[in-house]
Structure formats: structure tokens, C-alpha cells
Amino acid sequence: MLFERASGILLHPTSLPGRFGIGDMGEAAFQFIDFLQSSGQQYWQVLPLGHTGYGDSPYQSFSAFAGNPLLLSFEILAKKGLVLQSELDAFPEFSEGRVDYGAVIPAKLRVLQKAAKRFRDSMSEKDREDYHQFWLHNSWWLDDYALFIALKDYYKGAVWTQWEPGLVYRDSETIGRWQNVLHDAIESIKTWQFLFMQQWGDVKQYANRRGIKMIGDIPIYVAHDSVDVWANQYLFQLDENGEPSVVAGVPPDYFSETGQLWGNPIYHWDVARDQGYSWWTARFRDTFKQVDIVRLDHFRGFEAYWQVPGGEETAINGEWIDGPGAALFDHLRHEFGGELPIIAENLGVITEEVENLRKRFGLPGMAILQFAFGGDAACGDLPHNYPNDIVAYSGTHDNDTTVAWWQSTGGEDSTRTAKEIADEKAYAKKYLNTPGNEIHWDCIRTLMASVANTVVTPVQDLLGLGGEARMNFPGRPYGNWQWRLKPGQLTDDVKKRLLEMTELYGRAPRIRKQKGIK
């Protein structure tokens, strides 16, 4: 799909400012949409919206279909009478700049449990009908998900392979017994999902009405400790105990000398094909309800993926295995009709076969400006080499911020040597024609001026923040996904400067309309 010339901002909702320890779908989300509109932006890109599990990573969720209940806005629930003012007043004080997941999760879930009970106890006829319709359309994943989360709580977070055998192997009598035992908890969890879909639906509708499209994210893999694997074990390469026999990752790369060992179980792609890719179709259909465009994570894994034997400590001893290839995307194009609104995350070790697959289905790829200066003038991440059908970023959630990248010295904070960093900086200074005093704006300007149809800037780069604002360190299992905006950081001066640059390079909607640009 060929996108129009436009730009946007990458900001995950957990990073929004707010009173309750973590960003949510309340007032700050609507204010951010207003900022996007008034600064000429046309995209809001988010990370996966799922219920996070291990390490609080959006890419290791408990479900590929459920929303993260931590994103529920207390203030919106309070307006419906589901959260009491006394509960808001008594809620603990948390740091404005970071998410303390260990403290926030139990504090927020205690309030949400009471809110869910109030909802069930005071349902109006309309609430009852809306909830029933929600359940009818989502019960095929919702029932398993709610039981899974209730069991996780009962077993104090233990991985599903450590539950009683009847649950591990999904004996129907055992499942039914536990559904009765955990009935109240299950109903609360289902209620959270109903409320999540309502709140996110309002956010998306507000954005769309103001000319903002939502870019979401589908991770190629799901977590082993997820309802997706537990309820669909036949779709994954598992041993007789339910443990992954092979796991996913990538070989040594820019981020790690030993590769990245993600640990996710790998699909039985032949089984998925024989079932008409029904699980994948449902996954895309559900995500397209929540967002307008999907960034398809680790696109190269659909052509060939790096497979590592289970039990390995690094990703070095892996091998490339053929993925589903064109068959999956032919199926998706048939199911959804016409062009697919998908961005292919084609970073890393990319082959001609991967690019041929991407181009065959008209999927724009990605370019990262931080990767542009370590080679020569032929580097595809350099703006003069961009095609139109590309989404250009200064960096992503996996990169350091642009300012921190510029200040990097090598050694522990980078896989690059001091000499490599010095060479990159010298090249970047010449290419960007800058001494680097405002390196973040230099990079934004360069991308905005490029022929790339789409430019997305992480909000940390828009604000020129340092390494303290980095969202994720690939390969590090802790301390990620915590950064948050502080109230007032998106100032009128930032908005004005971004708008001027957006208009200057023909990416603002009213400029495009006046000039007749498509």
C-alpha cells in the first residue's frame, strides 16, 4: 500500500503522563491527539497493546488478542461510577517519569477488581446488551484468556506447564471444574476487556475524527507463557511437557555480539497452512479493529526465521528455516481484499528474497537514520537512497535516543568501538551539515525533507532527551518499557517548531490539500 506523504510520532500509551503510575487511555491520550493534530501530524504509532507478562514487554504478552488492563483510565471509570473518589484519593503516589511496574500492577488491579464488580452489580439494560454482544463476538478467545489469567493468579504466576496435568493438557472436565472455582475472577477479567475495548475505541475514534491514523504493531511471535500457546499447543513446536523444542531469535547483529535469544516458541507453519491460517487471520482482523495500519514486527521471519534449539543460552547456534512466505500474505490479501495496510519491519539481516516478498505485496519497509552512517554512500538507511514507499525513523523503541546515540562512547553502552563511533560521527556531521548541537532536530529535518512518504519520530527524539529516556535495551530482561513523559514536556514551542517543519516539507494535511499533493 502506498501511503500519502505525511508524518507522525511514536509514543506508547504507557508512556503518557498521568496521576496513576502508568500512562492510560484517559485525558492525556486525548491531549496527545490534539498535539498531533495541531502540529500537522497524521499518525500516532503505538507498540502492541496486549496484556504484558514477563519483563513488562509489549512483545511478550499473555494474549495476542486481549488489551492491557493497566491502560484503563480510572478517571473515565470514575465518571461511570465504577471507581470511587475515595479510591482515587487513596491511590499511592508514583514517580512521574518512570513506571514502577512492581508497585503499579498490584495497586491498579486492586482498584480494577472493585470496578469490575460494581459494573456487574449495577449493569443497565444497555450495559448488559453491549456486554453480551462483546462476549458473542469475542468468546472464542476471551473465555480461554480469562481462565488463563485467573489460573496465573491462583498459581502465583507459575508458567502454565507447571499447573496440574489436567490443565496443562486441557482436559475438558478439569477445565470446567476450574471455570466454576474461579468464576468471579474470570468474570472480572472479562469485564476489564469489555471496558478496555470501549476506552480504546473512544481514543481511536477521537483520533480518526481529527485526521490521525493509528499505527499498531503485530509481533511475529507470542510468549510461551501465554494463552495463545496454552490453548493452541498444536500450532507450536513443543515437547511432550509443553516446553519449546526450538525457540526464536536473531543471529549476532548491531545490538548484540551473541545475537538476541528471544525464547519464543516457533510455529508449526505447516499446521497453520493446513488450517487455512485461521489463527493468523483472526489475529490480523482483531488488530485492524484497533488500529488503521499495522507494523508487522520481524517481517524477515515470514520469509526465513532464525531457529535456535531449546535450552541454548545465546542465539549463536541457530539456523535459518524457511517461513510461510507468500502463501500467508496471499491468504491475507484474499481475506481482507485489495492492498494490505501493513508496514514491513525489514531490519536486520535482510536478503533479496525478503525484499522480493515485501515488494510483491506492496508493503513499505523501514529505514533507521541511526543505522545510516556506519557504512558508505550506498547504505539503504541514508536518505538519498530512500524509495517513496518507506517509513523512515530517527530510531525505534529498540534504539537509544538520538541524543544518546550521538553521545555514545563505545564499550559497555554500544557494540561499536570508539573508532567506529568517531567515524560515524564524522560522516554524520558531513552528511547532515551540522556540528551536532541540535542533533535530534537535524535528524528530524533530514527525514522530513526526504522523499520517504512516511516519517515517524519517537517522542523522545522530538524532545531531544538522553539515554535516560530509552524505552528498550534488546537482550536485557529487566528495566525496560518504563519511560514516561512528564506533564508539560510537549510545549507550545515544540509544537510550533514541528508544525513549521512539517509544513515546510509538504507533510501537513492542509498544505497537501492546498497544493493538490497526493
Side-chain angles (χ1 to χ4, degrees), residues 325-467:
L328 172 62
F329 295 97
D330 277 327
H331 173 79
L332 293 174
R333 189 159 59 180
H334 173 75
E335 286 291 321
F336 296 106
E339 296 179 314
L340 297 169
I342 292 174
I343 298 167
E345 188 267 281
N346 58 337
L347 307 176
V349 182
I350 301 301
T351 63
E352 184 178 353
E353 290 79 10
V354 175
E355 285 299 278
N356 288 341
L357 179 65
R358 179 183 69 79
K359 292 175 182 177
R360 173 173 173 175
F361 292 94
L363 310 180
M366 291 173 54
I368 310 300
L369 193 57
Q370 283 188 29
F371 296 162
F373 306 108
D376 57 25
C379 176
D381 288 295
L382 285 167
H384 69 262
N385 292 319
Y386 289 171
N388 293 114
D389 64 334
I390 203 166
V391 185
Y393 298 78
S394 53
T396 72
H397 61 274
D398 283 334
N399 293 89
D400 212 336
T401 68
T402 291
V403 168
W405 161 76
W406 188 251
Q407 295 172 346
S408 177
T409 58
E412 292 184 1
D413 68 337
S414 176
T415 58
R416 301 169 294 161
T417 66
K419 183 180 185 306
E420 288 171 336
I421 289 173
D423 291 343
E424 283 189 28
K425 284 186 178 180
Y427 190 3
K429 285 180 178 179
K430 290 181 181 179
Y431 192 93
L432 301 172
N433 191 27
T434 178
N437 297 337
E438 283 193 310
I439 189 63
H440 56 298
W441 281 112
D442 295 327
C443 289
I444 294 170
R445 176 182 292 273
T446 300
L447 293 176
M448 288 286 202
S450 75
V451 299
N453 282 344
T454 310
V455 169
V456 176
T457 303
V459 74
Q460 295 95 319
D461 286 351
L462 181 65
L463 297 173
L465 302 180

Side-chain angles (χ1 to χ4, degrees), residues 13-14 16-17 22-31 33 44 49 67-77 108 192-204:
T14 58
L16 288 164
I22 188 171
D24 59 37
M25 298 179 288
E27 182 181 1
F30 296 93
Q31 290 175 345
I33 292 168
W44 178 5
L49 295 169
N68 190 346
L70 297 178
L71 293 175
L72 284 167
S73 165
F74 281 172
E75 291 164 335
I76 292 175
L77 296 178
K108 192 152 189 178
W192 295 343
Q193 289 305 305
F194 171 70
L195 296 171
F196 178 94
M197 299 306 172
Q198 280 191 334
Q199 288 193 12
W200 182 254
D202 289 343
V203 169
K204 182 178 183 295

